[in-house]
Amino acid sequence: MRDPRALIDTATLAASLAASPGDPSLRVFDCTTTLDPAPAGSAEPYIAVPGRKTFEDGHVPGADFLDLQGEFSDTTTPLHFMMPPVARLEAAFGRHGVGPATRVVLYSIGTMMWATRFWWMLRALGFDDAAVLDGGLDKWKAEGRPLETGAPRGYPPATFVAAPRATGRGGLFVDAAAVKAAIGRRDTVTVNALGPQFHRGLEPSRYGRPGRVPGSVNVPAATLVDPATKGFIPLAEAAAKFAAQGVSKDKRTICYCGGGISATIDLFLLHQLGHDDITLYDASMGEWAKTESLPIETD
């Protein structure tokens, strides 16, 4: 594992919280969003609902809550969850107490993709002291660990200063033009993190036209998570899944999904496997499937 500090297990987090008087630099965040069905006839793929209710029903003691769509996404676009301007993120993370000498733990409910999305955003901003809770709140609860209820108390505000990271040819986020330009390139592999039925275009898509970015391969995010524990599968198994689809360290890898969320599970594991030139198509199929000028491929 390239970066052991980017992943934390429930026992380690519990021990940190139990330490007297606790770690004053620790910041624990519930990142959960739920995707409710859109009303009939709506052009929206879903309704993004911040997970405040589930947070108030039970969360890791002392944790704060992060609203991805409401506070940490670009509000000037109809697309969901798009990376906003750096200044907005600096202010938002600062309000939640993230700054120098703080250690961040991110978790979510039902799936780790909301936590890995925040991890990828923080990494893009040059903040490397963030970890994803392996198995999220599901594993925490299954082990009978303590919960706290009620609204978040928050952390003391801090000054968050970003140092945006550029890597490879397009940084940690790329747009549709970069994805289109990569089609057919032998030095680049584009990875779809959606399920195989959507990758192949065998089922209707809530994003628009069914299908995939032409030439892209399929490593579904769901196959990178153990359904029993809700945690990541062993790295050796993940490496085999990526290798089987032609994903290798000597190639640039572009990951996408429906809205730039589940693909961050792929990216998290690729990072841990030592891949350097990896990036996210932020708008993903939410943009690609609706844009008739962009090519699409089905089986």
Side-chain angles (χ1 to χ4, degrees):
M1 183 182 295
R2 162 186 273 178
D3 186 5
R5 283 179 58 81
L7 186 66
I8 186 170
D9 59 43
T10 51
T12 300
L13 177 59
S16 295
L17 293 173
S20 180
D23 183 350
S25 68
L26 184 63
R27 306 285 184 263
V28 182
F29 296 110
D30 185 326
C31 310
T32 306
T33 292
T34 58
L35 303 179
D36 287 357
S42 172
E44 295 292 319
Y46 41 68
I47 304 298
V49 179
R52 294 186 185 277
K53 176 64 167 60
T54 52
F55 177 89
E56 293 181 5
D57 288 345
H59 53 265
V60 172
D64 193 6
F65 178 76
L66 302 182
D67 180 352
L68 177 58
Q69 178 61 32
E71 195 175 2
F72 292 88
S73 297
D74 188 350
T75 57
T76 67
T77 171
L79 296 169
H80 291 289
F81 311 126
M82 293 290 289
M83 188 75 161
V86 169
R88 180 177 178 186
L89 289 174
E90 287 179 321
F93 281 117
R95 283 193 299 272
H96 287 275
V98 180
T102 57
R103 167 76 171 150
V104 170
V105 173
L106 306 159
Y107 75 84
S108 48
I109 299 170
T111 168
M112 290 182 290
M113 68 181 184
W114 305 108
T116 54
R117 168 69 189 203
F118 269 102
W119 174 84
W120 187 254
M121 292 167 67
L122 284 166
R123 178 167 169 72
L125 295 172
F127 186 91
D128 292 331
D129 209 357
V132 173
L133 180 62
D134 198 18
L137 193 69
D138 301 88
K139 189 170 188 289
W140 182 272
K141 290 172 67 175
E143 294 169 345
R145 300 193 185 276
L147 294 171
E148 184 175 76
T149 59
R153 298 193 301 269
Y155 297 107
T159 300
F160 184 94
V161 179
R165 174 182 272 113
T167 184
R169 283 166 274 172
L172 270 65
F173 291 84
V174 292
D175 60 15
V179 176
K180 185 178 181 181
I183 294 173
R185 291 186 63 115
R186 293 187 177 184
D187 61 351
T188 303
V189 58
T190 301
V191 177
N192 185 359
L194 294 174
Q197 71 276 26
F198 300 109
H199 177 74
R200 298 176 63 191
L202 300 179
E203 292 187 14
S205 170
R206 61 186 176 184
Y207 300 103
R209 297 173 296 163
R212 60 186 175 270
V213 174
S216 59
V217 301
N218 193 206
V219 184
T223 67
L224 300 174
V225 175
D226 184 331
T229 66
K230 301 287 189 177
F232 293 107
I233 63 173
L235 280 180
E237 291 183 23
K241 290 180 183 293
F242 285 114
Q245 296 299 319
V247 182
S248 56
K249 294 178 183 178
D250 61 332
K251 295 178 182 177
R252 183 190 193 205
T253 302
I254 301 171
C255 292
Y256 74 95
C257 52
I261 306 297
S262 64
T264 61
I265 287 181
D266 291 54
L267 288 163
F268 182 87
L269 288 174
L270 285 168
H271 170 76
Q272 293 291 41
L273 288 166
H275 292 246
D276 292 316
D277 198 353
I278 55 178
T279 190
L280 174 66
Y281 172 27
D282 200 16
S284 286
M285 293 306 286
E287 175 183 58
W288 193 277
K290 283 188 169 69
T291 307
E292 295 292 336
S293 61
L294 294 172
I296 205 156
E297 184 177 68
T298 60
D299 284 1

